[in-house]
Amino acid sequence: MLGDFTLTLPTRVHFGSHALDALPEELARYGSRVLLTYGGKSAKATGLYDRVIAALADAGKEIWEVSGITANPTFTKVLEVAHAIREHDVDLVIAVGGGSVIDCSKDASALAWQEGTPEELWARFYYDGEQVAPEDRVTPVGCILTIPATGSEMNRGGVTTNEETREKLEMVGDEVRTIPEFALLDPTLTYTLPRYQMVSGCYDILCHCMEQYFSGDDDCVSDYLAEGVMRAIISATNAAVADPMDYEARSNIMWCATWGLNGVIGIGKDQDWQLHDLGQSISAFTGATHGMTLSALTKAYYRHVLPAGMHRFARFATAVWGIPAEGKTDEELAAAGLDALDAWLRGIGCVMNITELGVTEDMIEGIAAVTPLEESGYHPFTTEEFVEVLRESL
Ligand code: NZQ
Ligand code: ZN
């Protein structure tokens, strides 16, 4: 049975090859003081930075910038962005980039107006901490997405690495106000992505669907929606790998990313997310690319989950991978579905072991120790079992 829920999706999405044309109308909604946030090289190299600066100048905005937001953004960088928001009292933050830049900006938009030491803010607002209080200020964030993957453009999550504790956790945020107010989604901006980043993002999208799908045993509309998005991202990824300039594929990938994690396909469900928890801890230790941590763990992780969710894994095989059910037991079907996933990941060029991501045997206990334990999915893991999954993934 679909659980009870309240859903608010406040983001104004402008989608398509002319999505940036909507920037002036969006800028007109806000005051004159704007903070622009972006990553390392790509925004300038692609010319996007110049286009955004020109639009801001045309709109008569005062502009401040924080650049150098890295993949797997750090809490130090979140605090730097928060400081800039507060110091310049900006009316709007525009995040230009992927999940890392958008996450960092979202977290900073709330933390800018909180008092406390970095340690206190981390303990109060991350993982199972507090929401931002309704009376507390949150600076609006808008985004221009350059890599489709995380869904950060339409969700409230902001995942941050704490360099001191080596944790990588999500800020609790606010049900509505830490979700971007607007998102410009232009698939042509993704043509410049290196293939490694593109396929990493594509598996992240599929994995978000799987984390939501592999829970519950009821007849739930969310699961049918997830199956549709999973089929779409597999098909679009195959097309984009064959032809990176395929607009149809790139546009489908971008919209799948948003739907993969804007909350709709997981609504009313328990969900899993332990694979993400473990993958994020790997990134905290090694800086590895998020989607590749997921692919490198997938085989071992789902081997542990499979016995508790056999029926759903069998459905995954037929509904997502098109494997005929006739003449097969649930066990055979479920195994065939996971084999199809494994073959697909190898085929598109995902990393399939954590050694390649820089994990060494001596890191394993530490990675498992900082990984949160959840009561979710078909099979709640213990720290010891996370150690087993990590060893099996070396
Ligand atoms: O820094 P630059 O030079 O911009 O390079 C970036 C970065 O190195 C590059 N890139 C981005 N757009 C490009 C481009 N290169 C060429 N052309 C373009 N158009 O790509 C690299 C990766 O960018 P990043 O933002 O890190 O990628 P992604 O969107 O995959 O974000 C990953 C982060 O989001 C978190 C992850 O943990 C990770 O920290 N997640 C956020 C979630 C959320 N908000 O709900 C959920 C996810 O599960 C995930 O945990
Ligand atoms: Zn993810």
Side-chain angles (χ1 to χ4, degrees):
M1 191 184 73
L2 195 62
D4 300 350
F5 63 85
T6 300
L7 175 69
T8 308
L9 292 177
T11 312
R12 295 181 295 278
V13 175
H14 303 272
F15 190 96
S17 59
H18 299 289
L20 260 69
D21 292 352
L23 188 53
E25 82 186 57
E26 286 297 345
L27 292 176
R29 295 172 184 269
Y30 301 92
S32 62
R33 304 168 73 82
V34 175
L35 179 71
L36 181 63
T37 56
Y38 53 99
K41 297 193 194 101
S42 76
K44 285 194 175 166
T46 59
L48 178 58
Y49 171 86
D50 290 336
R51 290 172 71 188
V52 175
I53 289 287
L56 288 167
D58 284 350
K61 303 292 184 187
E62 278 184 87
I63 310 163
W64 290 270
E65 295 184 12
V66 176
S67 61
I69 299 172
T70 58
N72 305 310
T74 62
F75 193 45
T76 304
K77 200 69 182 178
V78 169
L79 296 176
E80 182 188 330
V81 176
H83 179 76
I85 291 171
R86 189 160 171 157
E87 184 184 16
H88 305 301
D89 195 12
V90 297
D91 301 300
L92 172 69
V93 180
I94 298 188
V96 176
S100 295
V101 175
I102 303 171
D103 281 8
C104 182
S105 306
K106 291 193 298 191
D107 287 8
S109 73
L111 294 183
W113 306 104
Q114 300 294 333
E115 305 297 340
T117 64
E119 293 74 23
E120 286 165 351
L121 293 175
W122 180 261
R124 233 178 105 194
F125 292 108
Y126 280 82
Y127 186 52
D128 56 358
E130 300 169 23
Q131 286 211 24
V132 180
E135 63 276 15
D136 286 352
R137 188 169 166 187
V138 176
T139 297
V141 174
C143 64
I144 302 174
L145 185 68
T146 64
I147 166 170
T150 64
S152 187
E153 63 277 13
M154 203 177 183
N155 69 34
R156 70 172 176 171
V159 187
T160 298
T161 299
N162 185 321
E163 315 95 297
E164 302 294 321
T165 62
R166 289 194 131 174
E167 294 165 294
K168 187 175 182 210
L169 300 173
E170 188 177 356
M171 196 180 84
V172 183
D174 177 276
E175 293 291 351
V176 175
R177 291 177 302 155
T178 49
I179 301 176
E181 292 197 0
F182 65 87
L184 307 187
L185 308 185
D186 176 352
T188 67
L189 297 178
T190 70
Y191 287 151
T192 53
L193 278 171
R195 175 161 162 171
Y196 188 89
Q197 291 294 341
M198 182 187 85
V199 298
S200 168
C202 291
Y203 184 49
D204 192 25
I205 297 165
L206 180 60
C207 194
H208 293 159
C209 300
M210 289 159 52
E211 295 271 29
Q212 294 165 91
Y213 184 72
F214 288 125
S215 66
D217 203 16
D218 51 342
D219 191 38
C220 175
V221 64
S222 296
D223 293 322
Y224 296 96
L225 293 172
E227 286 165 355
V229 179
M230 287 192 273
R231 292 213 311 270
I233 188 60
I234 292 164
S235 167
T237 304
N238 293 340
V241 165
D243 176 9
M245 301 305 283
D246 180 340
Y247 180 82
E248 183 176 72
R250 293 293 195 161
S251 61
N252 282 328
I253 292 171
M254 199 167 231
W255 196 222
C256 283
T258 308
W259 273 77
L261 201 48
N262 67 4
V264 175
I265 65 164
I267 216 154
K269 289 181 56 82
D270 289 339
Q271 312 185 15
D272 186 343
W273 296 108
Q274 297 170 103
L275 175 53
H276 264 69
D277 289 337
L278 194 56
Q280 286 169 189
S281 298
I282 288 179
S283 293
F285 273 65
T286 64
T289 299
H290 172 63
M292 296 307 189
T293 67
L294 305 173
S295 58
L297 292 167
T298 283
K299 192 164 191 175
Y301 177 80
Y302 285 116
R303 203 187 294 133
H304 284 249
V305 178
L306 180 66
M310 191 64 76
H311 189 59
R312 178 56 55 92
F313 282 95
R315 176 171 159 177
F316 177 67
T318 50
V320 177
W321 297 100
I323 298 167
E326 289 77 37
K328 295 192 187 68
T329 62
D330 264 10
E331 284 79 359
E332 288 165 346
L333 254 185
L338 290 179
D339 285 348
L341 171 63
D342 187 70
W344 183 76
L345 290 171
R346 287 176 198 281
I348 62 172
C350 280
V351 176
M352 301 303 285
N353 65 75
I354 59 175
T355 308
E356 209 177 304
L357 298 175
V359 177
T360 48
E361 174 69 42
D362 59 308
M363 293 180 190
I364 282 181
E365 302 273 348
I367 292 170
V370 296
T371 304
L373 300 178
E374 319 255 19
E375 280 298 318
S376 61
Y378 292 120
H379 176 72
F381 278 71
T382 61
T383 301
E384 293 69 35
E385 205 174 359
F386 277 144
V387 168
E388 288 173 28
V389 170
L390 289 164
R391 290 225 165 92
E392 289 158 15
S393 305
L394 276 170

